[in-house]
Amino acid sequence: RGWMSRKRADFVLKNADLILAVSDFTRSEAMVRAGPNRIEVVYNAVDINKFRPPDSSKVRENLAVTVASGLGDIIILKGLKAFIEAAALLPQVAFAILGLTDENQQVIKGMIKSNNVELMGYMSQQDLLAYYQRAKVFCQLSYRESFGMATAEAMACGCIPVVTDRGALPEVVGDKGIYVPYGDEKATAEGINNALNLDNGVLARKRIEDKFSRQERERSLLDAIESLYQ
């Protein structure tokens, strides 16, 4: 943001010995932007020992959650309009938007047309974990995502992901979730309803264990760093 910041970023991208991107999507964006000498993908990691399913005594709720933290126009960026309008089409399902600023909460309150949407402000990781362990479905209906950390954490907790096919979300979700078009509330409601009837949260977690564990990131980081000395 700002001319000088862009110049600094371009200089780093063009002159660094190695750039590490958090997804193939981010890698492709960097290649278009600056054509770095060398860029490799090292995915973000989830603490799978912390983000884990609830114990077997707890029953998951008919609850769909999404996370929309940060500044800027997150209502558009995170696809919240479709999430809210899908809630009106599924009155029997509880919906929750987590991590909102006070300002965004006020704006979104005026958009809600049903009484099954809960708005929450900043939440600690422990608070987020509690919601992920309650919910059957996690939604990431974004216009773009460089990775999708909240999606990966929710999947590690056994949530079924309902996501758009934009940015890096397909890299995170693979074939373990449901894809919906960006901004389509009817398709989103259908996707959430279908996800509520699935029972493959174990497979969603397994994908995170296999591809996005801290151990896998550590291995990839070491390989990338050691390659500079060869």
PDB file of all heavy atoms in Angstrom, residues 22-27 29 44 66-69 74 76-79 138-151 163-172 182:
ATOM      1  N   VAL A  22       3.173 -19.059   0.291  1.00  0.00           N
ATOM      2  CA  VAL A  22       2.364 -19.934   1.147  1.00  0.00           C
ATOM      3  C   VAL A  22       1.377 -20.776   0.351  1.00  0.00           C
ATOM      4  O   VAL A  22       0.659 -21.597   0.931  1.00  0.00           O
ATOM      5  CB  VAL A  22       1.604 -19.131   2.222  1.00  0.00           C
ATOM      6  CG1 VAL A  22       2.581 -18.436   3.163  1.00  0.00           C
ATOM      7  CG2 VAL A  22       0.650 -18.137   1.583  1.00  0.00           C
ATOM      8  N   SER A  23       1.323 -20.592  -0.983  1.00  0.00           N
ATOM      9  CA  SER A  23       0.431 -21.389  -1.829  1.00  0.00           C
ATOM     10  C   SER A  23       0.859 -21.226  -3.275  1.00  0.00           C
ATOM     11  O   SER A  23       1.585 -20.289  -3.627  1.00  0.00           O
ATOM     12  CB  SER A  23      -1.022 -20.933  -1.666  1.00  0.00           C
ATOM     13  OG  SER A  23      -1.186 -19.596  -2.118  1.00  0.00           O
ATOM     14  N   ASP A  24       0.395 -22.131  -4.128  1.00  0.00           N
ATOM     15  CA  ASP A  24       0.634 -21.981  -5.560  1.00  0.00           C
ATOM     16  C   ASP A  24      -0.032 -20.723  -6.087  1.00  0.00           C
ATOM     17  O   ASP A  24       0.484 -20.069  -7.001  1.00  0.00           O
ATOM     18  CB  ASP A  24       0.105 -23.202  -6.324  1.00  0.00           C
ATOM     19  CG  ASP A  24       1.004 -24.418  -6.165  1.00  0.00           C
ATOM     20  OD1 ASP A  24       2.240 -24.241  -6.144  1.00  0.00           O
ATOM     21  OD2 ASP A  24       0.483 -25.541  -6.058  1.00  0.00           O
ATOM     22  N   PHE A  25      -1.191 -20.376  -5.528  1.00  0.00           N
ATOM     23  CA  PHE A  25      -1.871 -19.156  -5.934  1.00  0.00           C
ATOM     24  C   PHE A  25      -1.013 -17.934  -5.645  1.00  0.00           C
ATOM     25  O   PHE A  25      -0.849 -17.050  -6.498  1.00  0.00           O
ATOM     26  CB  PHE A  25      -3.213 -19.040  -5.200  1.00  0.00           C
ATOM     27  CG  PHE A  25      -3.900 -17.727  -5.388  1.00  0.00           C
ATOM     28  CD1 PHE A  25      -4.473 -17.400  -6.608  1.00  0.00           C
ATOM     29  CD2 PHE A  25      -3.960 -16.806  -4.357  1.00  0.00           C
ATOM     30  CE1 PHE A  25      -5.109 -16.179  -6.787  1.00  0.00           C
ATOM     31  CE2 PHE A  25      -4.591 -15.587  -4.525  1.00  0.00           C
ATOM     32  CZ  PHE A  25      -5.169 -15.274  -5.743  1.00  0.00           C
ATOM     33  N   THR A  26      -0.439 -17.859  -4.446  1.00  0.00           N
ATOM     34  CA  THR A  26       0.419 -16.737  -4.086  1.00  0.00           C
ATOM     35  C   THR A  26       1.672 -16.716  -4.958  1.00  0.00           C
ATOM     36  O   THR A  26       2.143 -15.649  -5.365  1.00  0.00           O
ATOM     37  CB  THR A  26       0.808 -16.827  -2.601  1.00  0.00           C
ATOM     38  OG1 THR A  26      -0.373 -16.895  -1.822  1.00  0.00           O
ATOM     39  CG2 THR A  26       1.624 -15.627  -2.178  1.00  0.00           C
ATOM     40  N   ARG A  27       2.208 -17.895  -5.247  1.00  0.00           N
ATOM     41  CA  ARG A  27       3.371 -17.991  -6.126  1.00  0.00           C
ATOM     42  C   ARG A  27       3.065 -17.399  -7.493  1.00  0.00           C
ATOM     43  O   ARG A  27       3.860 -16.626  -8.047  1.00  0.00           O
ATOM     44  CB  ARG A  27       3.807 -19.445  -6.265  1.00  0.00           C
ATOM     45  CG  ARG A  27       5.021 -19.654  -7.159  1.00  0.00           C
ATOM     46  CD  ARG A  27       5.367 -21.136  -7.280  1.00  0.00           C
ATOM     47  NE  ARG A  27       6.585 -21.333  -8.043  1.00  0.00           N
ATOM     48  CZ  ARG A  27       6.641 -21.345  -9.375  1.00  0.00           C
ATOM     49  NH1 ARG A  27       5.522 -21.177 -10.082  1.00  0.00           N
ATOM     50  NH2 ARG A  27       7.790 -21.520  -9.997  1.00  0.00           N
ATOM     51  N   GLU A  29       0.837 -15.175  -8.262  1.00  0.00           N
ATOM     52  CA  GLU A  29       0.692 -13.723  -8.151  1.00  0.00           C
ATOM     53  C   GLU A  29       2.049 -13.042  -8.101  1.00  0.00           C
ATOM     54  O   GLU A  29       2.262 -11.998  -8.726  1.00  0.00           O
ATOM     55  CB  GLU A  29      -0.103 -13.380  -6.893  1.00  0.00           C
ATOM     56  CG  GLU A  29      -1.591 -13.636  -7.004  1.00  0.00           C
ATOM     57  CD  GLU A  29      -2.358 -12.918  -5.925  1.00  0.00           C
ATOM     58  OE1 GLU A  29      -1.888 -12.895  -4.772  1.00  0.00           O
ATOM     59  OE2 GLU A  29      -3.426 -12.367  -6.238  1.00  0.00           O
ATOM     60  N   ASN A  44       1.542 -22.929   4.819  1.00  0.00           N
ATOM     61  CA  ASN A  44       1.347 -22.647   6.238  1.00  0.00           C
ATOM     62  C   ASN A  44       1.037 -23.944   6.985  1.00  0.00           C
ATOM     63  O   ASN A  44       0.704 -24.961   6.372  1.00  0.00           O
ATOM     64  CB  ASN A  44       0.190 -21.665   6.433  1.00  0.00           C
ATOM     65  CG  ASN A  44       0.564 -20.249   6.047  1.00  0.00           C
ATOM     66  OD1 ASN A  44       1.695 -19.824   6.247  1.00  0.00           O
ATOM     67  ND2 ASN A  44      -0.396 -19.511   5.501  1.00  0.00           N
ATOM     68  N   THR A  66     -18.171 -18.822  10.063  1.00  0.00           N
ATOM     69  CA  THR A  66     -17.153 -18.249   9.195  1.00  0.00           C
ATOM     70  C   THR A  66     -16.364 -17.247  10.014  1.00  0.00           C
ATOM     71  O   THR A  66     -16.867 -16.729  11.032  1.00  0.00           O
ATOM     72  CB  THR A  66     -17.763 -17.584   7.946  1.00  0.00           C
ATOM     73  OG1 THR A  66     -16.724 -17.254   7.014  1.00  0.00           O
ATOM     74  CG2 THR A  66     -18.530 -16.316   8.291  1.00  0.00           C
ATOM     75  N   VAL A  67     -15.139 -16.966   9.591  1.00  0.00           N
ATOM     76  CA  VAL A  67     -14.277 -16.004  10.282  1.00  0.00           C
ATOM     77  C   VAL A  67     -14.019 -14.838   9.341  1.00  0.00           C
ATOM     78  O   VAL A  67     -13.675 -15.034   8.175  1.00  0.00           O
ATOM     79  CB  VAL A  67     -12.953 -16.653  10.715  1.00  0.00           C
ATOM     80  CG1 VAL A  67     -12.003 -15.610  11.284  1.00  0.00           C
ATOM     81  CG2 VAL A  67     -13.211 -17.749  11.745  1.00  0.00           C
ATOM     82  N   ALA A  68     -14.182 -13.625   9.876  1.00  0.00           N
ATOM     83  CA  ALA A  68     -14.005 -12.436   9.044  1.00  0.00           C
ATOM     84  C   ALA A  68     -13.293 -11.355   9.842  1.00  0.00           C
ATOM     85  O   ALA A  68     -13.861 -10.315  10.159  1.00  0.00           O
ATOM     86  CB  ALA A  68     -15.346 -11.935   8.534  1.00  0.00           C
ATOM     87  N   SER A  69     -12.050 -11.623  10.199  1.00  0.00           N
ATOM     88  CA  SER A  69     -11.274 -10.651  10.968  1.00  0.00           C
ATOM     89  C   SER A  69     -10.470  -9.771  10.023  1.00  0.00           C
ATOM     90  O   SER A  69     -10.255 -10.109   8.862  1.00  0.00           O
ATOM     91  CB  SER A  69     -10.334 -11.370  11.936  1.00  0.00           C
ATOM     92  OG  SER A  69      -9.461 -12.222  11.229  1.00  0.00           O
ATOM     93  N   ILE A  74     -14.046  -6.269   4.349  1.00  0.00           N
ATOM     94  CA  ILE A  74     -14.100  -7.725   4.514  1.00  0.00           C
ATOM     95  C   ILE A  74     -15.474  -8.276   4.154  1.00  0.00           C
ATOM     96  O   ILE A  74     -15.605  -9.470   3.913  1.00  0.00           O
ATOM     97  CB  ILE A  74     -13.717  -8.154   5.942  1.00  0.00           C
ATOM     98  CG1 ILE A  74     -14.711  -7.598   6.954  1.00  0.00           C
ATOM     99  CG2 ILE A  74     -12.309  -7.729   6.284  1.00  0.00           C
ATOM    100  CD1 ILE A  74     -14.604  -8.257   8.304  1.00  0.00           C
ATOM    101  N   ILE A  76     -17.110  -7.734   1.462  1.00  0.00           N
ATOM    102  CA  ILE A  76     -16.968  -8.197   0.079  1.00  0.00           C
ATOM    103  C   ILE A  76     -15.909  -9.283  -0.003  1.00  0.00           C
ATOM    104  O   ILE A  76     -16.119 -10.336  -0.604  1.00  0.00           O
ATOM    105  CB  ILE A  76     -16.615  -7.018  -0.841  1.00  0.00           C
ATOM    106  CG1 ILE A  76     -17.802  -6.046  -0.938  1.00  0.00           C
ATOM    107  CG2 ILE A  76     -16.232  -7.521  -2.232  1.00  0.00           C
ATOM    108  CD1 ILE A  76     -17.513  -4.791  -1.714  1.00  0.00           C
ATOM    109  N   LEU A  77     -14.760  -9.043   0.607  1.00  0.00           N
ATOM    110  CA  LEU A  77     -13.631  -9.969   0.497  1.00  0.00           C
ATOM    111  C   LEU A  77     -13.984 -11.357   1.024  1.00  0.00           C
ATOM    112  O   LEU A  77     -13.619 -12.376   0.419  1.00  0.00           O
ATOM    113  CB  LEU A  77     -12.417  -9.421   1.252  1.00  0.00           C
ATOM    114  CG  LEU A  77     -11.158 -10.280   1.218  1.00  0.00           C
ATOM    115  CD1 LEU A  77     -10.646 -10.451  -0.199  1.00  0.00           C
ATOM    116  CD2 LEU A  77     -10.062  -9.675   2.100  1.00  0.00           C
ATOM    117  N   LYS A  78     -14.715 -11.422   2.122  1.00  0.00           N
ATOM    118  CA  LYS A  78     -15.040 -12.703   2.763  1.00  0.00           C
ATOM    119  C   LYS A  78     -16.397 -13.262   2.344  1.00  0.00           C
ATOM    120  O   LYS A  78     -16.830 -14.293   2.862  1.00  0.00           O
ATOM    121  CB  LYS A  78     -14.999 -12.561   4.291  1.00  0.00           C
ATOM    122  CG  LYS A  78     -13.655 -12.107   4.834  1.00  0.00           C
ATOM    123  CD  LYS A  78     -12.557 -13.122   4.559  1.00  0.00           C
ATOM    124  CE  LYS A  78     -11.234 -12.700   5.206  1.00  0.00           C
ATOM    125  NZ  LYS A  78     -10.156 -13.676   4.931  1.00  0.00           N
ATOM    126  N   GLY A  79     -17.081 -12.588   1.420  1.00  0.00           N
ATOM    127  CA  GLY A  79     -18.353 -13.108   0.932  1.00  0.00           C
ATOM    128  C   GLY A  79     -19.443 -13.167   1.981  1.00  0.00           C
ATOM    129  O   GLY A  79     -20.292 -14.075   1.971  1.00  0.00           O
ATOM    130  N   PHE A 138     -17.860 -25.283   8.262  1.00  0.00           N
ATOM    131  CA  PHE A 138     -17.107 -24.025   8.230  1.00  0.00           C
ATOM    132  C   PHE A 138     -17.182 -23.465   6.817  1.00  0.00           C
ATOM    133  O   PHE A 138     -16.919 -24.182   5.841  1.00  0.00           O
ATOM    134  CB  PHE A 138     -15.639 -24.229   8.617  1.00  0.00           C
ATOM    135  CG  PHE A 138     -14.871 -22.929   8.601  1.00  0.00           C
ATOM    136  CD1 PHE A 138     -14.882 -22.103   9.705  1.00  0.00           C
ATOM    137  CD2 PHE A 138     -14.183 -22.518   7.470  1.00  0.00           C
ATOM    138  CE1 PHE A 138     -14.214 -20.882   9.692  1.00  0.00           C
ATOM    139  CE2 PHE A 138     -13.514 -21.308   7.441  1.00  0.00           C
ATOM    140  CZ  PHE A 138     -13.521 -20.488   8.563  1.00  0.00           C
ATOM    141  N   CYS A 139     -17.520 -22.187   6.705  1.00  0.00           N
ATOM    142  CA  CYS A 139     -17.640 -21.538   5.394  1.00  0.00           C
ATOM    143  C   CYS A 139     -16.511 -20.541   5.181  1.00  0.00           C
ATOM    144  O   CYS A 139     -16.197 -19.745   6.077  1.00  0.00           O
ATOM    145  CB  CYS A 139     -18.974 -20.803   5.288  1.00  0.00           C
ATOM    146  SG  CYS A 139     -20.416 -21.873   5.315  1.00  0.00           S
ATOM    147  N   GLN A 140     -15.923 -20.582   4.006  1.00  0.00           N
ATOM    148  CA  GLN A 140     -14.981 -19.557   3.559  1.00  0.00           C
ATOM    149  C   GLN A 140     -15.416 -19.170   2.158  1.00  0.00           C
ATOM    150  O   GLN A 140     -15.050 -19.804   1.168  1.00  0.00           O
ATOM    151  CB  GLN A 140     -13.542 -20.073   3.567  1.00  0.00           C
ATOM    152  CG  GLN A 140     -12.497 -18.979   3.444  1.00  0.00           C
ATOM    153  CD  GLN A 140     -12.398 -18.145   4.722  1.00  0.00           C
ATOM    154  OE1 GLN A 140     -11.930 -18.614   5.751  1.00  0.00           O
ATOM    155  NE2 GLN A 140     -12.849 -16.914   4.661  1.00  0.00           N
ATOM    156  N   LEU A 141     -16.221 -18.124   2.075  1.00  0.00           N
ATOM    157  CA  LEU A 141     -16.898 -17.746   0.830  1.00  0.00           C
ATOM    158  C   LEU A 141     -16.194 -16.565   0.171  1.00  0.00           C
ATOM    159  O   LEU A 141     -16.819 -15.722  -0.473  1.00  0.00           O
ATOM    160  CB  LEU A 141     -18.360 -17.410   1.139  1.00  0.00           C
ATOM    161  CG  LEU A 141     -19.118 -18.487   1.920  1.00  0.00           C
ATOM    162  CD1 LEU A 141     -20.512 -18.004   2.289  1.00  0.00           C
ATOM    163  CD2 LEU A 141     -19.185 -19.800   1.139  1.00  0.00           C
ATOM    164  N   SER A 142     -14.877 -16.540   0.270  1.00  0.00           N
ATOM    165  CA  SER A 142     -14.083 -15.379  -0.082  1.00  0.00           C
ATOM    166  C   SER A 142     -13.984 -15.114  -1.581  1.00  0.00           C
ATOM    167  O   SER A 142     -14.055 -16.027  -2.410  1.00  0.00           O
ATOM    168  CB  SER A 142     -12.662 -15.545   0.470  1.00  0.00           C
ATOM    169  OG  SER A 142     -12.688 -15.756   1.854  1.00  0.00           O
ATOM    170  N   TYR A 143     -13.748 -13.837  -1.883  1.00  0.00           N
ATOM    171  CA  TYR A 143     -13.425 -13.427  -3.252  1.00  0.00           C
ATOM    172  C   TYR A 143     -12.033 -13.907  -3.622  1.00  0.00           C
ATOM    173  O   TYR A 143     -11.780 -14.305  -4.753  1.00  0.00           O
ATOM    174  CB  TYR A 143     -13.513 -11.904  -3.367  1.00  0.00           C
ATOM    175  CG  TYR A 143     -13.253 -11.399  -4.767  1.00  0.00           C
ATOM    176  CD1 TYR A 143     -14.267 -11.418  -5.721  1.00  0.00           C
ATOM    177  CD2 TYR A 143     -12.005 -10.906  -5.142  1.00  0.00           C
ATOM    178  CE1 TYR A 143     -14.037 -10.964  -7.008  1.00  0.00           C
ATOM    179  CE2 TYR A 143     -11.768 -10.458  -6.424  1.00  0.00           C
ATOM    180  CZ  TYR A 143     -12.787 -10.479  -7.358  1.00  0.00           C
ATOM    181  OH  TYR A 143     -12.561 -10.046  -8.638  1.00  0.00           O
ATOM    182  N   ARG A 144     -11.116 -13.866  -2.646  1.00  0.00           N
ATOM    183  CA  ARG A 144      -9.767 -14.401  -2.834  1.00  0.00           C
ATOM    184  C   ARG A 144      -9.185 -14.756  -1.470  1.00  0.00           C
ATOM    185  O   ARG A 144      -9.542 -14.152  -0.472  1.00  0.00           O
ATOM    186  CB  ARG A 144      -8.844 -13.414  -3.566  1.00  0.00           C
ATOM    187  CG  ARG A 144      -8.479 -12.197  -2.748  1.00  0.00           C
ATOM    188  CD  ARG A 144      -7.606 -11.214  -3.505  1.00  0.00           C
ATOM    189  NE  ARG A 144      -6.316 -11.760  -3.835  1.00  0.00           N
ATOM    190  CZ  ARG A 144      -5.290 -11.858  -3.002  1.00  0.00           C
ATOM    191  NH1 ARG A 144      -5.420 -11.477  -1.736  1.00  0.00           N
ATOM    192  NH2 ARG A 144      -4.142 -12.343  -3.400  1.00  0.00           N
ATOM    193  N   GLU A 145      -8.288 -15.726  -1.444  1.00  0.00           N
ATOM    194  CA  GLU A 145      -7.557 -16.099  -0.233  1.00  0.00           C
ATOM    195  C   GLU A 145      -6.150 -16.514  -0.641  1.00  0.00           C
ATOM    196  O   GLU A 145      -5.985 -17.349  -1.530  1.00  0.00           O
ATOM    197  CB  GLU A 145      -8.231 -17.266   0.498  1.00  0.00           C
ATOM    198  CG  GLU A 145      -9.500 -16.922   1.234  1.00  0.00           C
ATOM    199  CD  GLU A 145      -9.282 -16.118   2.495  1.00  0.00           C
ATOM    200  OE1 GLU A 145      -8.128 -16.100   3.009  1.00  0.00           O
ATOM    201  OE2 GLU A 145     -10.242 -15.510   2.985  1.00  0.00           O
ATOM    202  N   SER A 146      -5.153 -15.952   0.023  1.00  0.00           N
ATOM    203  CA  SER A 146      -3.770 -16.347  -0.279  1.00  0.00           C
ATOM    204  C   SER A 146      -3.461 -17.736   0.276  1.00  0.00           C
ATOM    205  O   SER A 146      -2.586 -18.435  -0.234  1.00  0.00           O
ATOM    206  CB  SER A 146      -2.784 -15.328   0.286  1.00  0.00           C
ATOM    207  OG  SER A 146      -2.949 -15.217   1.690  1.00  0.00           O
ATOM    208  N   PHE A 147      -4.171 -18.136   1.316  1.00  0.00           N
ATOM    209  CA  PHE A 147      -4.060 -19.503   1.841  1.00  0.00           C
ATOM    210  C   PHE A 147      -5.420 -19.967   2.360  1.00  0.00           C
ATOM    211  O   PHE A 147      -6.084 -20.775   1.743  1.00  0.00           O
ATOM    212  CB  PHE A 147      -2.993 -19.604   2.932  1.00  0.00           C
ATOM    213  CG  PHE A 147      -2.842 -20.997   3.497  1.00  0.00           C
ATOM    214  CD1 PHE A 147      -2.200 -21.988   2.766  1.00  0.00           C
ATOM    215  CD2 PHE A 147      -3.356 -21.327   4.747  1.00  0.00           C
ATOM    216  CE1 PHE A 147      -2.082 -23.292   3.262  1.00  0.00           C
ATOM    217  CE2 PHE A 147      -3.232 -22.618   5.255  1.00  0.00           C
ATOM    218  CZ  PHE A 147      -2.599 -23.586   4.510  1.00  0.00           C
ATOM    219  N   GLY A 148      -5.833 -19.456   3.508  1.00  0.00           N
ATOM    220  CA  GLY A 148      -7.095 -19.874   4.124  1.00  0.00           C
ATOM    221  C   GLY A 148      -6.841 -20.568   5.446  1.00  0.00           C
ATOM    222  O   GLY A 148      -7.234 -21.716   5.655  1.00  0.00           O
ATOM    223  N   MET A 149      -6.162 -19.849   6.367  1.00  0.00           N
ATOM    224  CA  MET A 149      -5.742 -20.461   7.620  1.00  0.00           C
ATOM    225  C   MET A 149      -6.927 -20.911   8.467  1.00  0.00           C
ATOM    226  O   MET A 149      -6.922 -21.998   9.047  1.00  0.00           O
ATOM    227  CB  MET A 149      -4.887 -19.463   8.401  1.00  0.00           C
ATOM    228  CG  MET A 149      -4.085 -20.078   9.505  1.00  0.00           C
ATOM    229  SD  MET A 149      -2.834 -21.191   8.826  1.00  0.00           S
ATOM    230  CE  MET A 149      -2.314 -22.039  10.308  1.00  0.00           C
ATOM    231  N   ALA A 150      -7.959 -20.073   8.548  1.00  0.00           N
ATOM    232  CA  ALA A 150      -9.117 -20.444   9.359  1.00  0.00           C
ATOM    233  C   ALA A 150      -9.783 -21.703   8.817  1.00  0.00           C
ATOM    234  O   ALA A 150     -10.244 -22.552   9.588  1.00  0.00           O
ATOM    235  CB  ALA A 150     -10.116 -19.286   9.399  1.00  0.00           C
ATOM    236  N   THR A 151      -9.812 -21.837   7.500  1.00  0.00           N
ATOM    237  CA  THR A 151     -10.389 -23.036   6.890  1.00  0.00           C
ATOM    238  C   THR A 151      -9.610 -24.277   7.305  1.00  0.00           C
ATOM    239  O   THR A 151     -10.197 -25.303   7.676  1.00  0.00           O
ATOM    240  CB  THR A 151     -10.383 -22.915   5.354  1.00  0.00           C
ATOM    241  OG1 THR A 151     -11.092 -21.729   4.978  1.00  0.00           O
ATOM    242  CG2 THR A 151     -11.038 -24.118   4.704  1.00  0.00           C
ATOM    243  N   VAL A 163     -16.660 -23.785   0.550  1.00  0.00           N
ATOM    244  CA  VAL A 163     -15.770 -22.702   0.129  1.00  0.00           C
ATOM    245  C   VAL A 163     -16.019 -22.332  -1.330  1.00  0.00           C
ATOM    246  O   VAL A 163     -16.610 -23.096  -2.095  1.00  0.00           O
ATOM    247  CB  VAL A 163     -14.287 -23.101   0.299  1.00  0.00           C
ATOM    248  CG1 VAL A 163     -13.981 -23.447   1.747  1.00  0.00           C
ATOM    249  CG2 VAL A 163     -13.919 -24.273  -0.613  1.00  0.00           C
ATOM    250  N   THR A 164     -15.515 -21.161  -1.707  1.00  0.00           N
ATOM    251  CA  THR A 164     -15.471 -20.797  -3.119  1.00  0.00           C
ATOM    252  C   THR A 164     -14.242 -21.450  -3.746  1.00  0.00           C
ATOM    253  O   THR A 164     -13.315 -21.884  -3.039  1.00  0.00           O
ATOM    254  CB  THR A 164     -15.386 -19.277  -3.287  1.00  0.00           C
ATOM    255  OG1 THR A 164     -14.260 -18.777  -2.553  1.00  0.00           O
ATOM    256  CG2 THR A 164     -16.644 -18.596  -2.780  1.00  0.00           C
ATOM    257  N   ASP A 165     -14.225 -21.473  -5.074  1.00  0.00           N
ATOM    258  CA  ASP A 165     -13.075 -22.075  -5.765  1.00  0.00           C
ATOM    259  C   ASP A 165     -12.073 -20.999  -6.163  1.00  0.00           C
ATOM    260  O   ASP A 165     -11.476 -21.056  -7.233  1.00  0.00           O
ATOM    261  CB  ASP A 165     -13.537 -22.876  -6.987  1.00  0.00           C
ATOM    262  CG  ASP A 165     -14.259 -22.003  -8.006  1.00  0.00           C
ATOM    263  OD1 ASP A 165     -14.529 -20.810  -7.701  1.00  0.00           O
ATOM    264  OD2 ASP A 165     -14.549 -22.497  -9.105  1.00  0.00           O
ATOM    265  N   ARG A 166     -11.863 -20.033  -5.291  1.00  0.00           N
ATOM    266  CA  ARG A 166     -11.004 -18.889  -5.588  1.00  0.00           C
ATOM    267  C   ARG A 166      -9.724 -18.917  -4.752  1.00  0.00           C
ATOM    268  O   ARG A 166      -9.682 -19.481  -3.664  1.00  0.00           O
ATOM    269  CB  ARG A 166     -11.755 -17.583  -5.325  1.00  0.00           C
ATOM    270  CG  ARG A 166     -12.864 -17.321  -6.346  1.00  0.00           C
ATOM    271  CD  ARG A 166     -13.700 -16.123  -5.960  1.00  0.00           C
ATOM    272  NE  ARG A 166     -14.637 -15.776  -7.028  1.00  0.00           N
ATOM    273  CZ  ARG A 166     -14.491 -14.725  -7.840  1.00  0.00           C
ATOM    274  NH1 ARG A 166     -13.462 -13.930  -7.707  1.00  0.00           N
ATOM    275  NH2 ARG A 166     -15.384 -14.489  -8.779  1.00  0.00           N
ATOM    276  N   GLY A 167      -8.695 -18.266  -5.287  1.00  0.00           N
ATOM    277  CA  GLY A 167      -7.440 -18.171  -4.563  1.00  0.00           C
ATOM    278  C   GLY A 167      -6.870 -19.534  -4.260  1.00  0.00           C
ATOM    279  O   GLY A 167      -6.894 -20.450  -5.093  1.00  0.00           O
ATOM    280  N   ALA A 168      -6.357 -19.684  -3.041  1.00  0.00           N
ATOM    281  CA  ALA A 168      -5.703 -20.932  -2.642  1.00  0.00           C
ATOM    282  C   ALA A 168      -6.646 -21.900  -1.950  1.00  0.00           C
ATOM    283  O   ALA A 168      -6.210 -22.980  -1.525  1.00  0.00           O
ATOM    284  CB  ALA A 168      -4.523 -20.620  -1.719  1.00  0.00           C
ATOM    285  N   LEU A 169      -7.918 -21.574  -1.834  1.00  0.00           N
ATOM    286  CA  LEU A 169      -8.838 -22.455  -1.100  1.00  0.00           C
ATOM    287  C   LEU A 169      -8.898 -23.872  -1.666  1.00  0.00           C
ATOM    288  O   LEU A 169      -8.919 -24.835  -0.893  1.00  0.00           O
ATOM    289  CB  LEU A 169     -10.231 -21.831  -1.047  1.00  0.00           C
ATOM    290  CG  LEU A 169     -10.346 -20.592  -0.144  1.00  0.00           C
ATOM    291  CD1 LEU A 169     -11.712 -19.938  -0.296  1.00  0.00           C
ATOM    292  CD2 LEU A 169     -10.082 -20.963   1.307  1.00  0.00           C
ATOM    293  N   PRO A 170      -8.901 -24.069  -3.004  1.00  0.00           N
ATOM    294  CA  PRO A 170      -8.886 -25.446  -3.503  1.00  0.00           C
ATOM    295  C   PRO A 170      -7.632 -26.218  -3.099  1.00  0.00           C
ATOM    296  O   PRO A 170      -7.670 -27.444  -2.963  1.00  0.00           O
ATOM    297  CB  PRO A 170      -8.960 -25.266  -5.028  1.00  0.00           C
ATOM    298  CG  PRO A 170      -9.648 -23.958  -5.214  1.00  0.00           C
ATOM    299  CD  PRO A 170      -9.125 -23.097  -4.097  1.00  0.00           C
ATOM    300  N   GLU A 171      -6.502 -25.510  -2.897  1.00  0.00           N
ATOM    301  CA  GLU A 171      -5.272 -26.182  -2.466  1.00  0.00           C
ATOM    302  C   GLU A 171      -5.415 -26.698  -1.041  1.00  0.00           C
ATOM    303  O   GLU A 171      -4.868 -27.744  -0.694  1.00  0.00           O
ATOM    304  CB  GLU A 171      -4.081 -25.223  -2.542  1.00  0.00           C
ATOM    305  CG  GLU A 171      -3.750 -24.754  -3.947  1.00  0.00           C
ATOM    306  CD  GLU A 171      -2.616 -23.750  -3.953  1.00  0.00           C
ATOM    307  OE1 GLU A 171      -1.527 -24.072  -3.457  1.00  0.00           O
ATOM    308  OE2 GLU A 171      -2.838 -22.627  -4.435  1.00  0.00           O
ATOM    309  N   VAL A 172      -6.127 -25.969  -0.216  1.00  0.00           N
ATOM    310  CA  VAL A 172      -6.322 -26.365   1.178  1.00  0.00           C
ATOM    311  C   VAL A 172      -7.377 -27.467   1.289  1.00  0.00           C
ATOM    312  O   VAL A 172      -7.170 -28.484   1.938  1.00  0.00           O
ATOM    313  CB  VAL A 172      -6.728 -25.147   2.039  1.00  0.00           C
ATOM    314  CG1 VAL A 172      -7.055 -25.580   3.464  1.00  0.00           C
ATOM    315  CG2 VAL A 172      -5.616 -24.111   2.046  1.00  0.00           C
ATOM    316  N   TYR A 182     -18.805 -17.775  -5.892  1.00  0.00           N
ATOM    317  CA  TYR A 182     -18.726 -16.572  -5.065  1.00  0.00           C
ATOM    318  C   TYR A 182     -19.999 -15.739  -5.235  1.00  0.00           C
ATOM    319  O   TYR A 182     -20.462 -15.497  -6.343  1.00  0.00           O
ATOM    320  CB  TYR A 182     -17.507 -15.730  -5.455  1.00  0.00           C
ATOM    321  CG  TYR A 182     -17.499 -14.376  -4.785  1.00  0.00           C
ATOM    322  CD1 TYR A 182     -17.065 -14.236  -3.474  1.00  0.00           C
ATOM    323  CD2 TYR A 182     -17.947 -13.241  -5.463  1.00  0.00           C
ATOM    324  CE1 TYR A 182     -17.075 -13.003  -2.845  1.00  0.00           C
ATOM    325  CE2 TYR A 182     -17.955 -12.006  -4.845  1.00  0.00           C
ATOM    326  CZ  TYR A 182     -17.515 -11.888  -3.531  1.00  0.00           C
ATOM    327  OH  TYR A 182     -17.538 -10.655  -2.909  1.00  0.00           O
TER     328      TYR A 182
END
